[in-house]
Amino acid sequence: NKKAFVELLFWKSPAIVCEMTKGYSSLQEGEGTTQSQVSPWSPQEEQELRELYWKYKEVEGGDVIAAILAHLPTPGRTRRQVVKQLVQM
């Protein structure tokens, strides 16, 4: 690839470097990316998240995100996903 030197000028993730060295399309489905593994939030989940936030945001000295995770009906959500969704909403 004559233009590969241009790609080397920019910061790469380990997955991208592996793909560059082994050939493009070498990564299997979902490998190296977490974006494909994250399921989107449904409108019902967003509503429940909003209600839990308003319920626990006024608690003194408590961790709001930990309280939301403890009472979130959908298991498998991470702290980072909840924080990201709250910021996005």
Side-chain angles (χ1 to χ4, degrees):
N1 187 354
K2 295 178 182 178
K3 298 178 184 175
F5 68 92
V6 176
E7 288 190 37
L8 297 174
L9 297 174
F10 301 99
W11 183 258
K12 304 288 186 225
S13 69
I16 300 298
V17 172
C18 178
E19 190 175 28
M20 284 174 58
T21 57
K22 292 183 180 178
Y24 294 102
S25 304
S26 64
L27 291 178
Q28 299 299 321
E29 182 68 30
E31 185 181 329
T33 60
T34 57
Q35 194 71 357
S36 63
Q37 298 172 355
V38 177
S39 61
W41 289 79
S42 69
Q44 291 173 329
E45 290 175 324
E46 287 181 0
Q47 181 62 30
E48 291 170 357
L49 182 63
R50 189 174 291 114
E51 290 172 3
L52 287 170
Y53 173 74
W54 286 107
K55 182 177 179 181
Y56 293 110
K57 78 173 193 151
E58 299 295 328
V59 175
E60 288 290 325
D63 185 9
V64 177
I65 305 301
I68 289 173
L69 282 171
H71 294 93
L72 200 62
T74 308
R77 295 286 184 187
T78 63
R79 182 178 182 90
R80 176 179 246 173
Q81 289 171 338
V82 171
V83 169
K84 183 177 179 182
Q85 186 64 25
L86 284 172
V87 168
Q88 194 174 38
M89 292 186 337

